[in-house]
Amino acid sequence: MPTAVDLNEQINHLLHLAHDFKALHDRVRDLAVAPGTEALRQLTPLVLKSQELVGKALLPLSALDGSPYTAVAGSRQTLNALGAVVSGASLASSGLAHALAANPPDSTGFAGPHQNEDSIRNARHARAVPEMVGYLADAAHQLDMCETACHDLATNIARDVERASTTSKQKAPHKISPAQYEALRTLAKGGATMQTQGRGSTIVLTPDHTLITIATIQSLDSHGLVCLDTSVPIHQGWGITVTAEGHRALAQHRSRTGATTVPTATAAAMPTVAAKREGRR
């Protein structure tokens, strides 16, 4: 069952995350590379902070995935963009870690004849500088992209909240019957599959084996309360999920009747809907 999520809280989280990405970007950009112990001292907190931001970037993605927000038009693009932020933050952290790995520590190698440690150390430092600068530039670029993406995502989700609020005020939830309520309540728990079996008969399969008639599914579908995945042939099974409007209808029915359970829908004749679906394509 979709988990409720406070979109305003996610918007605020993204705005704070954008601020954190910018702050780390500025620190990386302004870093003066001096290979050796000093570079290790400077890079260590930056690597740790970048890893922290990866975790923070995962939070809104985890919160919104599987929530009622996924039924909002455009939510797919939002979730994909959140995944890209996690990837960008990870790449930035990787770049900082590579810069740290490329930094030559102030240490002594194995003893050898005519070996001048000072000359060797200076040569190693000289080779490391351009490599470290390159990694730091890549990390700064990724952090800059993450900051911009977080601002854009916060704006997009805020727009979705406003759009949903306007739609809610303009359109009252569809009133459902007890049988439709029972069907929606079952579908909200884990969805269902509509599938043809022998001799062309069509049935609805639910995880808890609740019987839902084809007529009930057709009625719910006609009012936009459920969504049928018709991207595959019906003999492979059409997935059935509850839409955002369906969840609103469920909540409205509960508040109106105080219902917690209703009699289980009984089995009835199940006419095929394959022809109907094929005609819509």
Side-chain angles (χ1 to χ4, degrees), residues 102-243:
N103 175 52
D106 292 331
S107 55
T108 303
F110 293 107
H114 313 295
Q115 191 162 283
N116 187 319
E117 281 296 332
D118 288 338
S119 297
I120 293 174
R121 183 178 296 108
N122 291 336
R124 294 178 68 217
H125 285 193
R127 289 194 302 270
V129 169
E131 186 177 4
M132 294 174 68
V133 167
Y135 284 130
L136 292 173
D138 290 342
H141 173 69
Q142 292 295 336
L143 292 168
D144 184 52
M145 296 291 288
C146 287
E147 179 206 351
T148 301
C150 285
H151 279 298
D152 290 344
L153 284 166
T155 299
N156 292 343
I157 294 175
R159 180 198 60 208
D160 293 339
V161 171
E162 179 62 27
R163 182 189 302 158
S165 176
T166 301
T167 301
S168 176
K169 292 176 181 177
Q170 292 176 345
K171 182 180 178 181
H174 177 73
K175 290 184 178 181
I176 55 178
S177 67
Q180 290 173 329
Y181 168 76
E182 173 65 16
L184 280 175
R185 189 174 67 84
T186 298
L187 293 171
K189 291 179 181 178
T193 303
M194 181 184 291
Q195 191 171 21
T196 55
Q197 293 195 328
R199 298 182 180 179
S201 62
T202 304
I203 62 172
V204 177
L205 305 173
T206 61
D208 61 359
H209 307 293
T210 298
L211 295 176
I212 303 176
T213 67
I214 296 299
T216 298
I217 293 296
Q218 288 177 326
S219 177
L220 294 174
D221 182 38
S222 68
H223 291 100
L225 305 183
V226 297
C227 176
L228 275 67
D229 179 9
T230 59
S231 61
V232 298
I234 192 170
H235 68 82
Q236 294 182 13
W238 288 350
I240 307 173
T241 54
V242 180
T243 64

